[in-house]
């Protein structure tokens, strides 16, 4: 029997969706709503450079969420703190150790936000991009999940809930093609690089 392209974990009805941008979120959110899953979009991307680029992507993400009437949360933008987090990895190639560390930093914050809101699962739209390593993203999500479990066990002040990472390949099930359709329908700003200054490709 053929496995479905997208597998919903048992009991999942609500998820905190870390969103890298509106285009990558669009088909995923549409699919979730059609399948009885309520997403809360968490826009947390301190890697994006420069600030003007960050604001454009943030506003597009917010516009998309508001058009659908779903909750949208703005994470903090602290690019200098992000630079400290990837210090020493500036010369790494795309899909190298810098990207891995970037994913861990962002998904750990997403996991904490899910815990804070009492949302039992978190996922990321990063897993929709063909430019990213799916293995790196899934590993980063599981590291974020486990780090939060460890913190919860160590601190009696931490809420009991430790959210689980939903490792899903969002390129499957026709979502990549649907993404491209929605990009045109919403007239989204379509960025040409991942986000950080090290990923800007020479023109």
């Amino acid at each position: 029997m053929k496995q479905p392209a997208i597998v919903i974990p048992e009991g999942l009805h609500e998820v905190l969706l870390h969103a890298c941008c509106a285009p990558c979120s669009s088909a995923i959110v549409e699919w979730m709503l059609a399948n009885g899953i309520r997403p809360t979009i968490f826009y947390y991307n301190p890697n994006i450079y420069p600030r003007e680029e960050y604001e454009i992507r943030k506003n597009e993400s917010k516009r998309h969420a508001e058009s659908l009437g779903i909750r949208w949360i703005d994470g903090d933008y602290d690019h200098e703190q992000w630079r400290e987090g990837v210090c020493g990895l500036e010369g790494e190639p795309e899909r190298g150790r810098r990207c891995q560390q970037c994913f861990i930093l962002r998904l750990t914050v997403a996991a904490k936000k899910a815990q804070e809101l009492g949302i039992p699962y978190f996922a990321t739209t990063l897993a929709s991009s063909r430019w990213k390593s799916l293995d790196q993203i899934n590993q980063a999500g599981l590291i974020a999940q486990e780090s939060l479990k460890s913190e919860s066990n160590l601190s009696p002040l931490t809420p009991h809930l430790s959210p689980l990472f939903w490792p899903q390949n969002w390129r499957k099930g026709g979502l990549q093609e649907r993404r491209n359709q929605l990009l045109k329908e919403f007239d989204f700003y379509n960025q040409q690089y991942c986000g950080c200054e090290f990923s800007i490709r020479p023109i």
Side-chain angles (χ1 to χ4, degrees):
M1 183 176 175
K2 187 178 180 181
Q3 285 289 99
I6 299 174
V7 179
I8 304 174
E10 187 176 352
L12 189 155
H13 302 291
E14 183 179 13
V15 64
L16 182 126
L17 181 63
H18 166 262
C20 57
C21 64
C24 288
S25 305
S26 57
I28 297 172
V29 168
E30 182 181 71
W31 184 92
M32 286 180 173
L33 294 173
N35 285 274
I37 299 170
R38 187 171 82 245
T40 291
I41 293 183
F42 181 51
Y43 186 81
Y44 178 70
N45 303 290
N47 58 304
I48 297 176
Y49 177 89
R51 180 66 183 253
E52 292 77 16
E53 177 77 15
Y54 171 84
E55 293 294 337
I56 292 170
R57 298 189 195 190
K58 181 183 82 170
N59 291 334
E60 286 288 80
S61 177
K62 186 177 182 182
R63 174 170 74 91
H64 173 236
E66 290 178 345
S67 74
L68 299 173
I70 60 177
R71 188 178 188 185
W72 182 90
I73 298 173
D74 185 6
D76 292 331
Y77 180 75
D78 190 336
H79 189 67
E80 287 307 310
Q81 185 180 51
W82 177 84
R83 284 289 302 262
E84 291 175 10
V86 298
C87 183
L89 303 173
E90 295 87 347
E92 284 283 312
E94 289 296 286
R95 298 191 179 202
R97 290 182 301 156
R98 184 187 65 250
C99 292
Q100 176 78 79
Q101 179 64 10
C102 177
F103 298 153
I104 293 170
L105 292 170
R106 291 151 77 192
L107 293 183
T108 298
V109 172
K112 288 179 179 177
K113 179 57 70 173
Q115 183 181 53
E116 176 189 320
L117 297 173
I119 299 175
Y121 284 89
F122 67 103
T124 179
T125 64
L126 290 166
S128 71
S129 173
R130 60 193 177 95
W131 303 110
K132 304 284 188 297
S133 164
L134 196 62
D135 287 342
Q136 282 188 337
I137 293 164
N138 287 342
Q139 185 180 2
L142 293 173
I143 287 172
Q145 171 187 295
E146 293 307 312
S147 69
L148 215 58
K149 273 186 184 177
S150 299
E151 287 181 19
S152 298
N153 291 335
L154 290 173
S155 173
L157 301 177
T158 305
H160 176 69
L161 171 72
S162 184
L164 300 175
F165 178 62
W166 181 8
Q168 176 60 54
N169 182 351
W170 295 109
R171 304 165 201 167
K172 291 187 173 183
L175 294 191
Q176 189 68 37
E177 294 78 9
R178 183 58 179 151
R179 172 200 183 279
N180 294 334
Q181 293 173 350
L182 290 170
L183 191 152
K184 294 177 182 177
E185 288 179 22
F186 278 91
D187 192 26
F188 285 134
Y189 166 72
N190 192 25
Q191 56 274 9
Q192 299 301 312
Y193 65 102
C194 172
C196 77
E197 53 266 53
F198 311 112
S199 67
I200 298 175
R201 293 188 292 273
I203 297 174

